[in-house]
């Protein structure tokens, strides 16, 4: 449990990367839109997830 608490962000990004690969392999665009929305939410919550970092406002 301590491992999950200390590495939750790394595990979340790894899981999102895995989902992105699976979603890109599917032929529909609907799931791409859903992932794009989820990705935007994470970019708003975790600004350093963006390339070049970021700041909370």
């Amino acid at each position: 449990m301590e491992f999950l608490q200390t590495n939750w962000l790394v595990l979340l990004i790894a899981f999102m990367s895995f989902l992105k690969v699976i979603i890109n392999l599917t032929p529909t665009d609907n799931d791409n839109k859903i992932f794009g929305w989820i990705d935007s939410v994470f970019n708003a919550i975790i600004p350093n997830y963006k390339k070049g970092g970021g700041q909370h406002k």
Side-chain angles (χ1 to χ4, degrees):
M1 190 60 139
E2 183 179 336
F3 176 78
L4 293 176
Q5 290 175 339
T6 56
N7 297 307
W8 67 272
L9 185 58
V10 174
L11 293 170
L12 179 65
I13 292 171
F15 180 69
M16 286 184 62
S17 298
F18 175 73
L19 282 180
K20 182 72 173 171
V21 169
I22 298 300
I23 288 171
N24 283 339
L25 291 174
T26 61
T28 63
D29 285 333
N30 193 25
D31 53 0
N32 294 352
K33 292 176 188 175
I34 294 170
F35 183 83
W37 183 81
I38 294 170
D39 195 36
S40 297
V41 170
F42 280 110
N43 283 337
I45 295 171
I46 308 167
N48 287 333
Y49 180 70
K50 296 184 282 190
K51 184 177 180 180
Q55 297 177 357
H56 286 287
K57 294 182 180 184

